[in-house]
Amino acid sequence: MQTVRDVMTTNVDCCTPLDNVFEVATKMKDLNVGAIPIVENGQLLGMITDRDLVVRGIAEKHPGSNSVTNVMSDHLITIGPDTSIAEASHLMAEHQVRRLPVVENRQLIGIVSLGDLAVRDYSDDQAGDALSDISEK
């Protein structure tokens, strides 16, 4: 059985609560990613997605100097590294998310995304099923 540990991205760049929205947006651009975890002392506090920047940042007229804590999502669905790929796919579909932070002993150790599931070809169409479920809801 394939687990999240087998497919997750482990080299995850993060920001801290001391960073501002501009710094997060710049990091997203430089890394060509759509989400940045917010971490303090290794513990996951939240996540900022490109959508958060638009909806909670720009649309709310928050300047780039605004704290990441005012824009980040802090009610996150997380997953453990030994969780099956099928369960990860199910959680993504159920909660309509495209990525799940992977946490072990309260520490962020990676992220698993729909892309990780699809590219690795371990999922027996589970990534496609999850994406269909996310898109339909």
Side-chain angles (χ1 to χ4, degrees):
M1 172 183 71
Q2 295 294 321
T3 65
V4 168
R5 187 183 310 273
D6 297 322
V7 298
M8 71 183 188
T9 299
T10 56
N11 186 20
V12 179
D13 278 297
C14 304
C15 285
T16 74
L18 300 176
D19 291 316
N20 64 40
V21 172
F22 175 79
E23 292 165 322
V24 172
T26 300
K27 187 170 273 198
M28 281 183 186
K29 177 184 175 267
D30 292 346
L31 299 171
N32 193 29
V33 297
I36 299 285
I38 307 303
V39 174
E40 187 170 46
N41 299 322
Q43 292 189 345
L44 180 66
L45 301 179
M47 181 93 79
I48 294 184
T49 65
D50 43 11
R51 186 174 191 283
D52 292 330
L53 291 176
V54 172
V55 174
R56 294 190 191 128
I58 296 167
E60 296 288 327
K61 299 182 181 178
H62 290 297
S65 60
N66 198 26
S67 171
V68 295
T69 58
N70 294 328
V71 179
M72 72 182 190
S73 298
D74 58 3
H75 292 83
L76 302 177
I77 306 302
T78 63
I79 197 163
D82 297 321
T83 306
S84 73
I85 297 298
E87 178 63 18
S89 176
H90 173 76
L91 279 173
M92 287 178 186
E94 179 182 349
H95 295 283
Q96 298 182 34
V97 296
R98 296 174 187 266
R99 58 189 72 80
L100 293 169
V102 183
V103 177
E104 187 171 51
N105 299 321
R106 300 180 52 180
Q107 302 287 305
L108 178 69
I109 63 166
I111 292 181
V112 64
S113 69
L114 279 176
D116 293 328
L117 299 181
V119 169
R120 305 297 175 133
D121 198 31
Y122 291 130
S123 61
D124 298 323
D125 297 322
Q126 291 165 352
D129 293 345
L131 180 58
S132 293
D133 289 346
I134 290 167
S135 300
E136 288 174 6
K137 295 180 180 181

